Amino acid sequence: MEELKERIKREGVIASQQVLKLDAILNHQVDPALTMEMGREFASRFGADGVTKVVTVESSGIPVAFAAALELGVPMIFARRKKTLLADPDSYVERVPSFTKGIVTDLMLPKRFIKKEDRVLLIDDIIANGDAARGLVKIIHSAEATLVGAGIVVEKCFQSGAQSLRDQGIRLESLVRIRSLGEDGVVFED
């Protein structure tokens, strides 16, 4: 997506050779028009796969997952990272490290929201090491649902997450692929 690349060049902040802050696009400020365009793009790529649910992790993946679910006409569900007083005790739980937070968290998804007959599209904002995505894949498999694929807004090709999903035979579609971050700015793969 050329518009997304342009916005990353203009508004992304390179914090290190490993970290690209996209606060102005994905994480703290959300551009509704751009988000809906990303959702339409994922819907066009996965629309023929019979998706019945879109799943993501709170919180940065929610806007794009919502947009994709809206375009596909299916529910969107998200895994929580923090247990609340209202948390459903009958949930799938996977413990995963968080690259950006530097801590280990639990991903929790109530069992009543994902069933064996579901065909699930996983959406994530950025894939680095892929721990959260792999955690969601385990939850989807625990539910015996079918994972039709993963839609990733930004794939950091220099980290192992996307490749680890592909190595599991998972179809992965990225809107933007980044080769490197550094003195030359953001270098895109495509």
Side-chain angles (χ1 to χ4, degrees):
M1 285 186 63
E2 289 307 313
E3 181 183 357
L4 181 57
K5 284 182 182 179
E6 290 304 315
R7 294 286 298 274
I8 290 170
K9 285 180 194 175
R10 229 178 25 247
E11 299 174 52
V13 176
I14 298 172
S16 72
Q17 291 182 331
Q18 301 292 311
V19 178
L20 175 64
K21 290 177 64 175
L22 295 173
D23 293 18
I25 303 169
L26 291 173
N27 306 117
H28 293 286
Q29 176 173 277
V30 177
D31 179 326
L34 179 60
T35 300
M36 290 307 298
E37 184 59 35
M38 290 186 276
R40 280 189 289 277
E41 182 61 29
F42 284 130
S44 74
R45 293 184 190 195
F46 292 98
D49 294 307
V51 175
T52 62
K53 298 270 174 74
V54 174
V55 67
T56 192
V57 175
E58 71 174 346
S59 64
S60 299
I62 292 174
V64 177
F66 175 85
L70 180 65
E71 291 296 318
L72 291 165
V74 301
M76 187 241 10
I77 54 178
F78 63 90
R80 291 191 181 275
R81 287 190 181 269
K82 294 179 182 153
K83 192 170 186 173
T84 67
L85 293 174
L86 300 175
D88 190 332
D90 192 23
S91 293
Y92 294 106
V93 179
E94 282 296 326
R95 182 154 278 215
V96 298
S98 170
F99 177 77
T100 53
K101 292 178 179 62
I103 60 172
V104 175
T105 64
D106 287 332
L107 298 182
M108 296 163 281
L109 188 67
K111 290 180 179 181
R112 64 191 169 104
F113 292 135
I114 187 167
K115 301 295 180 194
K116 184 177 185 175
E117 57 274 6
D118 280 319
R119 295 182 54 78
V120 180
L121 171 60
L122 186 159
I123 297 286
D124 206 356
D125 60 339
I126 300 172
I127 192 163
N129 292 331
D131 296 312
R134 281 192 302 276
L136 278 181
V137 167
K138 287 179 182 177
I139 287 172
I140 293 163
H141 287 155
S142 293
E144 299 181 11
T146 301
L147 176 62
V148 300
I152 307 296
V153 176
V154 176
E155 174 185 340
K156 295 194 303 188
C157 299
F158 54 90
Q159 290 176 287
S160 62
Q163 190 57 49
S164 73
L165 293 182
R166 288 185 180 105
D167 289 346
Q168 291 180 52
I170 296 169
R171 175 181 168 204
L172 191 133
E173 296 277 344
S174 300
L175 299 183
V176 170
R177 299 179 73 220
I178 295 176
R179 182 183 312 148
S180 65
L181 303 169
E183 293 177 11
D184 296 332
V186 178
V187 179
F188 295 100
E189 184 69 29
D190 303 323

